[in-house]
Amino acid sequence: MSAQEAPVIEAVGLVKRFGDFTAVDDVSFEVPKGSVFGLLGPNGAGKTTIVRMMTTLAIPTRGSARVAGHDVVTEPEAVRASMGLTAQSATVDDLLTGRENLRLIGDLYGLPRKVVRSRADELLERFSLDESGDKVVKDYSGGMRRRIDLAVSLIAAPAVLFLDEPTTGLDPRSRVELWDVLRGLVRDGTTLLLTTQYLDEADQLADTIVVIDHGRIIAQGTPLELKDQSGAASLVVTVSRHDQVQQAAALLRGVVGDIHVDADARKLTAPAGDVAALASIAGRLDEAGIDVDDLGMQRPSLDDVFLALTGHKAEETTNEEVPA
Amino acid sequence: MSAVTQTAVLDRTAPRPTGAGQVRQILTLVRRNLTHIKRQPEMLTDVTIQPVMFVLLFAYVFGGSINVPGVDYKPWLLPGIMAQTIAFSAFIVAIGLNTDIGKGMVDRLRSLPIRRSSILVSRSIAALIHSSIGVAVMSVTGLFIGWRVGEGVLRGLLGYGLLLLFGFAMIWVGILVGSAMRSVEAVNGLMFTTIFPITFLSNAFARTDVMPSWLRTMAEWNPISALTQALRDNWGVAGAAVRADAPWPLQNPELATIIWSLAITALIAPLALRAFNNRTTD
Ligand SMILES: Nc1ncnc2c1ncn2[C@@H]1O[C@H](COP(=O)(O)OP(=O)(O)OP(=O)(O)O)[C@@H](O)[C@H]1O
Ligand SMILES: [Mg+2]
């Protein structure tokens, strides 16, 4: 993929105001063809508002956006013909069966009837819904609803897919299954923009992550880059025997300087450190006859990144949903 | 990019979406609404059981006290109840549209390459079909209680045509209310407290002659009265004749119904479209 190739999704200086309230504030990003772009942020960060602007459902107050080469404000029809959207809450017709939902949207896209029928069958099978395909959606479980919702968004095989919190409310197994489906789509060349509150999800799926808080981009990069941003990796040694903790600490100080010792957990943490340091420390510990349970590099998790960037934990803000 | 892919989720070589022609869009969406009725036949109670109940209630319970001597009240009442049923098209549209907006279905449809007007047109057609089922049920009920189309097929059809025309006008009211209200409960509340009194405050259930004069003026200028009068005249219902000094709309009920329908449409349609666009754009 050449670097010059135009991005499939592009936002330039997007602003969205509701009255005096600025929900999205000067957001710009680019998503190259066939990649996965993650919008990460807590409740109320502005994720849905960005997705709604990108999918022609909301008009930007300022700035512009293009999807598959078409401007979302001046060429909404062309944008709609080339993208699929799975909104935050499943928008399927409760009184229709899964198959009827697929055919409804396929017909509206203007696909030939035969194609609509065969794709509907194909998608039901792909999403393990072939047995429930003729049941009304009202009788589906939450996970099944989410799957049929996603399947409906794929009926026209869109080149670009927008997913607003696709796995919220799914059990861990369904989540992993959905991730697999999404990876499959990317393998087939679909460009994906997904929003999530889950750091591990962004980490798992996204090639590029934008972290937003209060409508503003506060960090941007690959998962790896983001982790680097919140401080270097640390080196962690877990010693087997309590009586060797101090000895190991002295030895480590000699190599990497300042370290943190958690005597109870027999755990020594040294900031920074690279693979060379790791190898040299492994050698010295061995020479000194210190038994080691575990020795390795630890990268900060995206949780640490979020904390470092926003000053609050990502989870803290999501607690709002839990009734007190 | 690697040419080797694992099982493709979708065959991307198949035709690309072009956006359906608007006729197909509308037919597809009308079919969706009719499937709703098929899955939930109880949706039809508002145009079947309810009006039949009204016929029975008014004919047998109140009939004696609002009766006109020498005129059979039941066939006289029926056109009034049909007019009321068609006025409820507004209610049907408002509920359907408000539900679709609230559940995000309108957003889903707006994210597709279809015309926004298809959403409204299909809703309207489905509501007219819904109401027409009611009118058909009423007609059959009428046959059992002595009502007949007595002035020939053409004038009979003219009556049904006027009903549909008035239903068309009421649909705009429904689009306005469905778009402006924030919840289905609000739609319910508003529609029950307006459509029922408005349809009762007419010649649909009782003769206007005996009403106090201020009430009579309101009732006789009520569009429902013109429509009901047009139906009674064209179906040759006994007791249809109006007083010599009745106001113009009752003397010329067909023309009045047409004017009322066009006026309501001209006045409400722009407001309805604006409300819908405002509600579905942010
Ligand atoms: N139509 C609207 N009118 C007024 N304010 C709005 C509107 N839509 C969104 N907002 C506000 O904009 C902010 C961003 O909302 P948005 O739904 O984009 O957040 P989000 O990141 O998707 O949150 P969540 O994770 O809860 O879905 C919120 O404070 C919200 O209250
Ligand atoms: Mg959201």
Side-chain angles (χ1 to χ4, degrees):
Chain A
M1 207 173 293
S2 78
Q4 283 91 338
E5 198 175 328
V8 173
I9 307 175
E10 189 183 12
V12 184
L14 277 185
V15 175
K16 182 67 185 178
R17 288 208 186 91
F18 296 107
D20 285 342
F21 178 75
T22 305
V24 174
D25 193 2
D26 195 21
V27 166
S28 304
F29 55 82
E30 285 183 1
V31 186
K33 185 175 186 311
S35 69
V36 182
F37 184 81
L39 268 178
L40 177 65
N43 280 143
K47 304 181 295 294
T48 299
T49 308
I50 293 174
V51 170
R52 286 178 64 82
M53 287 191 282
M54 306 302 297
T55 54
T56 75
L57 295 180
I59 313 266
T61 308
R62 238 188 292 129
S64 65
R66 299 177 79 79
V67 174
H70 305 289
D71 188 284
V72 296
V73 176
T74 58
E75 309 162 84
E77 293 277 317
V79 170
R80 291 174 194 148
S82 49
M83 61 96 186
L85 165 67
T86 307
Q88 185 163 354
S89 50
T91 45
V92 274
D93 191 322
D94 277 337
L95 291 177
L96 301 188
T97 66
R99 198 183 306 277
E100 286 167 344
N101 265 292
L102 287 162
R103 288 181 182 173
L104 169 75
I105 304 297
D107 282 338
L108 291 173
Y109 266 112
L111 299 168
R113 274 174 222 285
K114 257 177 64 186
V115 176
V116 172
R117 280 166 186 270
S118 65
R119 275 199 190 157
D121 296 344
E122 211 179 303
L123 282 163
L124 285 172
E125 199 180 311
R126 182 72 189 81
F127 285 86
S128 324
L129 289 167
D130 30 354
E131 279 176 16
S132 339
D134 294 316
K135 271 205 268 181
V136 289
V137 169
K138 202 166 55 163
D139 297 337
Y140 280 21
S141 74
M144 289 160 76
R145 279 180 77 87
R146 202 67 217 174
R147 293 209 299 274
I148 191 70
D149 195 32
L150 181 58
V152 166
S153 312
L154 295 174
I155 190 79
V160 187
L161 186 61
F162 293 88
L163 301 153
D164 198 357
E165 302 197 20
T167 63
T168 301
L170 292 187
D171 66 28
R173 211 193 78 212
S174 311
R175 255 180 112 197
V176 172
E177 279 174 9
L178 197 69
W179 288 351
D180 281 341
V181 172
L182 297 183
R183 289 195 187 100
L185 289 173
V186 174
R187 235 176 5 242
D188 299 342
T190 308
T191 306
L192 232 63
L193 183 152
L194 64 92
T195 80
T196 181
Q197 303 183 21
Y198 302 118
L199 305 164
D200 62 326
E201 184 159 279
D203 197 7
Q204 282 279 335
L205 294 173
D207 300 308
T208 312
I209 297 174
V210 154
V211 185
I212 52 170
D213 197 25
H214 299 298
R216 237 173 263 132
I217 295 184
I218 54 172
Q220 188 161 9
T222 64
L224 218 60
E225 284 167 355
L226 283 181
K227 288 177 187 175
D228 278 341
Q229 252 182 32
S230 75
S234 43
L235 194 151
V236 182
V237 183
T238 311
V239 184
S240 307
R241 289 162 43 190
H242 274 289
D243 59 346
Q244 289 186 328
V245 169
Q246 289 315 319
Q247 192 188 349
L251 187 147
L252 242 69
R253 277 195 192 97
V255 184
V256 293
D258 197 23
I259 67 163
H260 174 78
V261 182
D262 181 347
D264 289 337
R266 305 186 311 276
K267 203 168 176 179
L268 312 168
T269 310
D274 50 26
V275 179
L278 187 70
S280 123
I281 285 166
R284 285 170 196 230
L285 288 169
D286 194 35
E287 272 168 32
I290 298 170
D291 292 333
V292 171
D293 275 354
D294 192 32
L295 170 66
M297 303 279 289
Q298 191 179 309
R299 291 198 151 272
S301 72
L302 271 173
D303 282 296
D304 300 328
V305 176
F306 206 88
L307 186 58
L309 290 171
T310 64
H312 58 83
K313 280 200 155 175
E315 276 77 16
E316 275 171 18
T317 48
T318 63
N319 283 346
E320 289 165 16
E321 282 175 350
V322 183
Chain B
M1 200 172 287
S2 156
V4 189
T5 58
Q6 302 179 28
T7 29
V9 175
L10 281 171
D11 176 11
R12 211 177 285 283
T13 57
R16 304 292 314 152
T18 52
Q22 190 160 15
V23 172
R24 185 174 172 200
Q25 295 170 15
I26 292 168
L27 290 180
T28 302
L29 290 170
V30 169
R31 197 173 53 218
R32 161 182 179 247
N33 293 326
L34 296 184
T35 308
H36 286 181
I37 296 180
K38 198 173 81 189
R39 296 275 149 75
Q40 278 189 345
E42 63 271 26
M43 282 170 76
L44 287 176
T45 50
D46 58 350
V47 295
T48 53
I49 296 173
Q50 179 185 305
V52 170
M53 227 177 57
F54 271 28
V55 170
L56 298 177
L57 196 68
F58 278 86
Y60 294 102
V61 181
F62 307 125
S65 48
I66 37 185
N67 212 347
V68 178
V71 173
D72 187 358
Y73 180 61
K74 283 166 280 176
W76 184 85
L77 170 66
L78 198 82
I81 298 207
M82 285 198 192
Q84 187 181 47
T85 301
I86 207 75
F88 269 88
S89 303
F91 201 172
I92 298 164
V93 172
I95 293 283
L97 192 59
N98 193 273
T99 307
D100 274 353
I101 293 173
K103 287 195 175 165
M105 197 63 197
V106 169
D107 277 345
R108 165 74 93 179
L109 296 177
R110 282 179 56 225
S111 78
L112 304 175
I114 64 169
R115 283 165 176 263
R116 211 190 278 207
S117 58
S118 300
I119 302 173
L120 296 181
V121 173
S122 58
R123 255 293 157 217
S124 308
I125 293 176
L128 278 183
I129 294 176
H130 186 150
S131 302
S132 300
I133 294 174
V135 170
V137 169
M138 286 291 90
S139 303
V140 174
T141 309
L143 296 179
F144 287 100
I145 55 171
W147 166 85
R148 298 283 183 277
V149 172
E151 297 284 321
V153 177
L154 276 185
R155 291 191 66 185
L157 288 179
L158 174 62
Y160 285 106
L162 290 173
L163 267 175
L164 276 183
L165 178 68
F166 190 72
F168 173 80
M170 291 308 288
I171 276 167
W172 292 106
V173 177
I175 292 174
L176 175 61
V177 172
S179 304
M181 295 287 111
R182 292 285 139 183
S183 70
V184 175
E185 291 74 26
V187 172
N188 264 318
L190 182 69
M191 288 309 219
F192 269 118
T193 51
T194 51
I195 296 192
F196 269 124
I198 288 173
T199 51
F200 282 127
L201 223 160
S202 71
N203 64 359
F205 295 85
R207 300 192 68 90
T208 51
D209 315 37
V210 294
M211 295 178 181
S213 74
W214 61 274
L215 195 65
R216 183 171 61 205
T217 308
M218 272 168 72
E220 289 182 337
W221 283 89
N222 185 339
I224 298 287
S225 296
L227 175 61
T228 305
Q229 188 60 43
L231 298 180
R232 284 180 185 145
D233 282 355
N234 283 288
W235 290 340
V237 172
V242 294
R243 323 186 299 283
D245 66 338
W248 184 84
L250 293 190
Q251 307 283 0
N252 305 276
E254 296 88 0
L255 194 55
T257 302
I258 293 170
I259 292 174
W260 269 122
S261 302
L262 297 181
I264 294 173
T265 304
L267 186 74
I268 304 291
L271 297 176
L273 289 176
R274 202 172 59 198
F276 180 71
N277 283 336
N278 281 348
R279 181 67 188 276
T280 55
T281 312
D282 55 23

